[in-house]
Amino acid sequence: MSLFRRGSAAITGSIGRLLFPPVCPGCQAAVTGSGTVCCACWPKLRFIERPYCEVLGLPFAYDLGKGFLSAEAIAEPPPFARLRAAVLYEDLAARLVSSLKYADRTDLVPLMAGWMTRAGAELIADAEVVVPVPLHPGRLWRRRFNQSAEIARLVARGARLSFSPLSLKRVKATRSQVGLGPAQRRANVRGAFQVVETRRDELDGKRVLLVDDVYTTGATVASATRALKRAGARDVDVLTFARVATGTE
């Protein structure tokens, strides 16, 4: 970049910070830089650290030994290999997800993607291609962007992985999962996803990292995983920003 362009970028950035000073995404208090959380809001985030279930990423209250699985993973093994999430879906984390999805807060994407990259480091190291959970075209038109795709784009770019946002499509206009029970959620997304025939080579024989914003019962990512594996994906790992705390102690 030339000296002139660097100078122009610096001036533009300074003007932008003056007109739109960075604020905490939790409480709107002034912060030193964009993509940061203030000291008051930081304790409201519960980051998921080991020990946790090696399959579902559910945090344990104490270390039960290497490779220990949760009761949920044993009773109903998921179709994907591993799940990792950055934070528990509660309090501030839930507000961040809602702000991104429904208030067009795309400025939160770098923050969320950064935390997810840290949480999913082992999954990213094994991945060959990153695929976001798609929205149905009708919902995408109303929302104007797919929050999972925006996050997945940055995760893939940071890890220098192939990004395949168009290989998986949602072919069924499902109702919102909010308020539905586990069985209803599974029925709602059954057969909802399909791999685009002309893009099968982007997935065939590869380990896929499937990215979504929230994991609740797992019905959505399970349905998407099955579609990916039917199309030839060697295996699928799942990375989300948040997950519910079901099964924690």
Side-chain angles (χ1 to χ4, degrees):
M1 181 184 291
S2 68
L3 182 62
F4 174 77
R5 290 180 64 188
R6 286 199 299 269
S8 298
I11 293 172
T12 302
S14 298
I15 294 174
R17 286 191 293 273
L18 179 64
L19 295 177
F20 305 101
V23 296
C24 171
C27 66
Q28 308 306 307
V31 291
T32 56
S34 60
T36 57
V37 176
C38 74
C39 295
C41 285
W42 184 259
K44 299 176 183 178
L45 290 165
R46 289 183 60 190
F47 287 89
I48 299 174
E49 306 283 354
R50 277 194 163 88
Y52 50 63
C53 170
E54 292 299 322
V55 171
L56 292 177
L58 271 169
F60 295 137
Y62 50 88
D63 195 345
L64 298 170
K66 185 177 180 181
F68 198 86
L69 301 184
S70 61
E72 289 85 348
I74 295 171
E76 192 172 351
F80 51 82
R82 297 170 294 179
L83 166 79
R84 296 292 181 266
V87 295
L88 290 179
Y89 186 63
E90 56 188 24
D91 198 30
L92 178 56
R95 280 187 279 143
L96 293 180
V97 170
S98 180
S99 294
L100 173 59
K101 291 173 73 169
Y102 306 118
D104 296 339
R105 288 292 306 274
T106 53
D107 58 297
L108 298 175
V109 169
L111 179 73
M112 298 165 76
W115 290 342
M116 290 168 64
T117 296
R118 174 181 174 273
E122 60 184 327
L123 275 59
I124 292 170
D126 293 337
E128 296 172 273
V129 59
V130 179
V131 175
V133 171
L135 292 177
H136 186 268
R139 185 166 296 172
L140 179 61
W141 183 83
R142 291 191 297 273
R143 194 175 291 173
R144 300 187 300 280
F145 71 97
N146 177 1
Q147 73 282 353
S148 297
E150 296 307 309
I151 293 171
R153 189 189 316 277
L154 288 195
V155 170
R157 182 186 301 167
R160 297 183 178 181
L161 289 170
S162 296
F163 179 51
S164 184
L166 301 178
S167 58
L168 184 66
K169 64 180 179 179
R170 192 181 293 243
V171 295
K172 179 181 174 183
T174 57
R175 57 184 289 201
S176 172
Q177 297 278 69
V178 177
L180 300 181
Q184 292 173 308
R185 284 172 177 259
R186 287 192 293 270
N188 190 39
V189 295
R190 188 174 296 122
F193 301 98
Q194 183 178 311
V195 168
V196 176
E197 192 63 35
T198 57
R199 294 184 177 273
R200 278 178 175 255
D201 60 334
E202 298 176 23
L203 309 171
D204 190 34
K206 296 178 180 177
R207 189 165 192 121
V208 176
L209 181 64
L210 182 65
V211 174
D212 204 2
D213 54 352
V214 179
Y215 180 95
T216 49
T217 63
T220 297
V221 293
S223 180
T225 294
R226 292 187 182 98
L228 291 168
K229 294 179 82 169
R230 283 196 300 269
R234 178 163 51 88
D235 219 334
V236 179
D237 289 318
V238 177
L239 179 61
T240 70
F241 171 66
R243 67 149 300 142
V244 296
T246 306
T248 57
E249 298 180 30

